[in-house]
Amino acid sequence: MASVDIVHHTDEITAELMSLLLEADPDEGSILVYLPDSSVLVAKEGGSVVGVAVLVSAGKEFELKNIAVSEMHQGRGVAKRLIKEVKALAINMGAEELLVGTGNSSLSQLALYQKCGFRMSHIETDFFLTYPESIYENGIQCRDLVVLRAKLSG
C-alpha cells in the first residue's frame, strides 16, 4: 500500500470530491450550505483523491460534518488518519470537544467513531425523515441522527 497524504484543501470542490461527500451525506443542498465555512481535508494516494473530511466550527462548537473514503480504499486506515488530522486541526483552532453525527443504520461508522475515541452523546429522532429520499443501510431505514462526542484535551 502506498502512503496516504492528508492535505488541507482550499481550492474549489471538484466533482470528484463532491461525489465522495455525497457518499456520506446524500443531501447535496445541505453539503453546499456547510462547505463555505468549513475546513476540508483530502486524503491522496499517488496523486489520486481517496478520502475527504470536513470540519465545521461555529463558535465553540466543532463538528466533523462529513467524512468519506472511496470504496476501494476502505478498511485501510484512511478514515482513521483523516479523523486524527481533523482532531489535530480542531485542537489548533481552540476546540476542546469534537462532535460527529451519523445515522442509526450506519453500523460501520458507529464502530469507527467509537474506535477513534468518540462516545455517544444524544439522538435526534426522525432527523433523516426530512431528507428528500429515504435512506436504507444494512437493511435498516435511516431515521435517527446519532451524535457522538470526543474530548480533545485532558
Side-chain angles (χ1 to χ4, degrees):
M1 173 173 104
S3 68
V4 174
D5 298 315
I6 310 293
V7 296
H8 295 262
H9 184 76
T10 56
D11 300 335
E12 68 179 86
I13 299 301
T14 63
E16 181 182 31
L17 284 176
M18 182 55 80
S19 178
L20 266 179
L21 292 168
L22 286 167
E23 286 184 28
D25 183 350
D27 185 358
E28 186 172 354
S30 71
I31 293 171
L32 293 172
V33 168
Y34 62 71
L35 271 181
D37 299 318
S38 301
S39 298
V40 179
L41 285 76
V42 178
K44 291 186 175 186
E45 183 178 68
S48 298
V49 172
V50 299
V52 62
V54 178
L55 174 65
V56 175
S57 63
K60 293 190 180 245
E61 190 93 344
F62 287 78
E63 182 178 356
L64 172 56
K65 195 72 172 172
N66 192 316
I67 183 167
V69 175
S70 67
E71 191 172 340
M72 68 184 293
H73 290 86
Q74 291 177 6
R76 296 172 52 192
V78 176
K80 287 179 183 173
R81 292 250 343 262
L82 280 166
I83 290 170
K84 182 178 178 182
E85 292 292 328
V86 165
K87 284 181 170 183
L89 178 59
I91 289 168
N92 286 340
M93 294 170 70
E96 295 178 7
E97 291 185 323
L98 181 63
L99 300 176
V100 66
T102 193
N104 61 283
S105 56
S106 302
L107 305 180
S108 61
Q109 290 88 336
L110 285 165
L112 169 68
Y113 296 139
Q114 291 176 84
K115 288 176 188 176
C116 290
F118 288 85
R119 303 277 316 270
M120 301 270 183
S121 176
H122 61 278
I123 296 172
E124 296 181 27
T125 57
D126 297 332
F127 178 88
F128 290 102
L129 296 183
T130 63
Y131 273 47
E133 293 184 30
S134 296
I135 303 168
Y136 287 86
E137 299 172 291
N138 302 302
I140 303 167
Q141 183 178 8
C142 184
R143 300 175 58 96
D144 304 323
L145 177 67
V146 180
V147 179
L148 298 95
R149 182 180 305 270
K151 298 232 182 273
L152 299 177
S153 59

